[in-house]
Amino acid sequence: MAKINDNFIKIPATYLFSEIAKRVENYKAANPQADIIRMGIGDVTRPLPKAAVEALKAAADEQLASATFRGYGPEQGYDFLRETIVKSDYEPLGIKLDTDEVFVSDGAKSDTGNIGDILSRDNIIAVTDPVYPVYVDTNVMAGRGGNLAADGKWSNIQYLPCLPENGFEPQLPKGKIDVVYLCYPNNPTGTTLTKAQLKKWVDYALENDVLILFDAAYKAFITESDVPHSIYEIAGAKECAIEFCSFSKTAGFTGTRCGYTVVPKELKATAENGEKIALNRLWNRRQTTKFNGTAYVIQRAAEAVYSPEGKRQVQESIDYYMNNARIIKNGLETAGYKVFGAVNAPYIWLKTPAGLKSWEFFDYLLTEKNIVGTPGVGFGPSGEGFLRLTAFGSTENTIRAVERLKK
Ligand code: MLT
C-alpha cells in the first residue's frame, strides 16, 4: 500500500482560514438572520481596476484568432510583464534587475510555500511569531518542523517573538539558523521595519550565511518614507534574499491570481558537497517542471495595473482601504482598545480586552457583535491575547463594525 507523507498528520487538520470559515458557516447556519461583517481573511472587496479588466478582455479576444492565440506560455512569465515589473517596481527604487530574475506566478502564497522545494530538509527555519501560517505549515509538510509542543511551537522551528514590548521588531536569532521568513509590512500585525531595522537583518544574513525569504505582498500600503518597498533597497540583499510580491492586495487579484518572485542571480546556497549553487537556476528548474505559467490573459491584466490609468485606479483602492484602516484604528483607540498596525498595512492588530484569549474574543465578536476577526493565536503562540481585523471591507461595513465594537 502507498505510504503517506506523515508530516500531514502531524499538522492541525485544518488551515487557519478554513477553520474560521467553517466556524462562521456553522454560526450562520444556526443564526440565518445574523448580519455578519467579515473582517477575518484578508480578502479584498473592491472590484478589479478597470484598466486590468479591459486588458483581460482584449487578451481574451486575442484567443479567438489563430494569429494571436496563445498556448503554453513561458513558465517564468511573459517578458512584457517581467520587463514592466523591473521598470516599474524596481528601477524607481534604484534597484537594477534582469528580467530573468523575475518569475511570474499565481501568487505569493504558492511561491512562499513552494520555495521549500529547492531547500534542503535539514535547514533550520526561523519565523517571526506571530506569522503568516503558510510559512510554518509548508515547512512542517516538508519535514522541517519536528514535533508540535504543548506551547504551540514546532520543535525544529525557531520563533522570533514580535510583541508590543519589542515594538514588534524580531530580534536576531541566538542559535544557528539557515533560513528566515520576514514579511514586511507585516501580516498579521500590520507593523513594519524601517530601512535601518531591515539592514540589521541583511547584515546578519550576509555574516551568517542565512537565506532571507522576504514577503513584500503588502508593500503598496506603505505610507511612511523610511519603510523599504523592497529588501533590495538594502545593500547586499541580492546576495542573501528572495523577494515575493503579489497583485492580490495591491490590485484586487485575490481571485484573479498573479504574483511574482525575485531570485537574484548573485544569490547562492550550499549543496551537500559544499559547492555554492545559484538559487535562480534551481527555482527556474523547479518552475519549469512543476508550473506551466500564469494564464496569458491574467498577465496582460497584471501588466495593465502599471499603466497610468491602472496606477491611478490601484491607488484609489489602496487609499480606500487605508481610510478604513484609519477608521478602525481611531475608533478602537477612542473606545479604549490597544491597537497596532494600520499605518503601513491594511491590518489592525488588537489586544483582546479583559484578558480574553484570542479564540474567546473571536467567539465573543462572532456571537455578540456578528463580526469576524482572526484570532491572533492562529498566527503563532505570541499572537495569544490578540486579534486581527482587516481593512479590506466596504467603508460602510467598517463604520458599522466600529460602532458595534465601541458599544
Ligand atoms: C490573510 O488573511 O492573511 C491573507 O489573506 C491570506 C493570504 O493572502 O493567503
Side-chain angles (χ1 to χ4, degrees):
M1 184 179 282
K3 296 192 177 69
I4 61 154
N5 173 351
D6 267 46
N7 296 307
F8 277 77
I9 46 177
K10 282 189 178 181
I11 44 175
T14 37
Y15 179 58
L16 174 64
F17 292 106
S18 317
E19 172 65 28
I20 291 167
K22 201 172 72 193
R23 289 190 187 211
V24 174
E25 279 325 299
N26 289 345
Y27 180 77
K28 185 82 187 156
N31 302 274
Q33 310 307 329
D35 172 21
I36 294 177
I37 303 178
R38 292 171 196 268
M39 302 170 90
I41 191 163
D43 195 4
V44 293
T45 54
R46 304 254 303 163
L48 286 174
K50 192 159 186 279
V53 174
E54 278 166 3
L56 195 131
K57 285 184 185 164
D61 281 339
E62 286 179 41
Q63 307 314 305
L64 287 167
S66 31
T68 48
F69 163 78
R70 308 281 178 139
Y72 288 131
E75 297 92 342
Q76 307 83 348
Y78 284 97
D79 276 349
F80 64 77
L81 180 55
R82 299 170 94 192
E83 280 161 16
T84 304
I85 288 167
V86 169
K87 278 206 179 65
S88 309
D89 279 351
Y90 291 97
E91 278 180 15
L93 300 175
I95 298 162
K96 219 190 123 348
L97 287 177
D98 293 336
T99 49
D100 58 359
E101 294 177 300
V102 176
F103 295 82
V104 176
S105 72
D106 65 348
K109 179 180 184 178
S110 325
D111 282 2
T112 53
N114 292 333
I115 198 73
D117 276 10
I118 64 167
L119 301 172
S120 161
R121 192 176 161 279
D122 300 335
N123 282 306
I124 298 171
I125 306 293
V127 294
T128 58
D129 175 24
V131 68
Y132 180 41
V134 169
Y135 314 152
V136 171
D137 288 5
T138 55
N139 276 291
V140 172
M141 288 172 182
R144 285 185 281 263
N147 294 307
L148 185 57
D151 62 0
K153 293 184 183 171
W154 291 90
S155 55
N156 289 351
I157 294 182
Q158 283 216 20
Y159 290 78
L160 310 170
C162 294
L163 296 159
E165 294 84 300
N166 60 15
F168 295 96
E169 182 187 356
Q171 302 305 296
L172 298 175
K174 295 211 169 60
K176 170 74 189 140
I177 64 156
D178 302 299
V179 180
V180 62
Y181 289 79
L182 296 177
C183 171
Y184 289 99
N186 187 252
N187 178 16
T189 64
T191 60
T192 196
L193 295 183
T194 61
K195 283 181 190 157
Q197 289 171 325
L198 188 57
K199 183 177 180 317
K200 282 192 219 163
W201 277 96
V202 170
D203 292 347
Y204 162 83
L206 292 170
E207 274 160 32
N208 295 279
D209 267 337
V210 167
L211 172 65
I212 300 177
L213 299 176
F214 190 76
D215 186 346
Y218 298 92
K219 65 182 175 180
F221 297 88
I222 293 171
T223 59
E224 293 178 321
S225 60
D226 63 344
V227 178
H229 286 72
S230 164
I231 193 165
Y232 306 121
E233 288 179 54
I234 314 292
K238 280 189 184 176
E239 282 146 60
C240 64
I242 292 177
E243 179 161 286
F244 304 91
C245 301
S246 168
F247 293 94
S248 288
K249 317 295 156 112
T250 312
F253 274 51
T254 51
T256 309
R257 309 305 309 151
C258 196
Y260 65 89
T261 290
V262 177
V263 189
K265 287 186 219 151
E266 301 81 325
L267 178 62
K268 296 194 169 146
T270 318
E272 255 178 47
N273 65 5
E275 198 186 335
K276 300 269 188 197
I277 307 285
L279 293 184
N280 181 286
R281 168 155 77 80
L282 301 196
W283 185 241
N284 189 53
R285 185 70 174 86
R286 192 261 170 215
Q287 291 298 81
T288 49
T289 307
K290 289 198 180 180
F291 184 60
N292 251 342
T294 305
Y296 170 74
V297 293
I298 303 294
Q299 293 192 56
R300 280 293 183 199
E303 179 194 28
V305 163
Y306 295 100
S307 66
E309 321 79 72
K311 279 188 184 157
R312 198 174 33 75
Q313 292 155 5
V314 160
Q315 196 54 48
E316 268 171 30
S317 285
I318 287 171
D319 292 346
Y320 180 92
Y321 294 133
M322 289 311 282
N323 182 46
N324 288 349
R326 260 189 306 277
I327 291 170
I328 302 170
K329 182 171 154 61
N330 294 342
L332 295 189
E333 278 173 351
T334 309
Y337 285 91
K338 245 196 149 4
V339 176
F340 306 93
V343 175
N344 295 295
Y347 291 127
I348 294 88
W349 189 243
L350 148 82
K351 185 91 193 95
T352 61
L356 287 180
K357 291 199 172 275
S358 297
W359 279 108
E360 288 169 350
F361 190 50
F362 168 88
D363 285 336
Y364 166 79
L365 287 187
L366 178 60
T367 56
E368 301 298 318
K369 307 282 180 186
N370 291 168
I371 293 171
V372 182
T374 308
V377 73
F379 296 102
S382 296
E384 182 58 281
F386 291 88
L387 182 119
R388 191 194 76 175
L389 294 175
T390 86
F392 285 124
S394 67
T395 300
E396 191 201 350
N397 276 347
T398 302
I399 293 171
R400 289 169 62 227
V402 170
E403 286 313 313
R404 290 186 197 175
L405 284 162
K406 275 183 173 173
K407 280 191 193 134

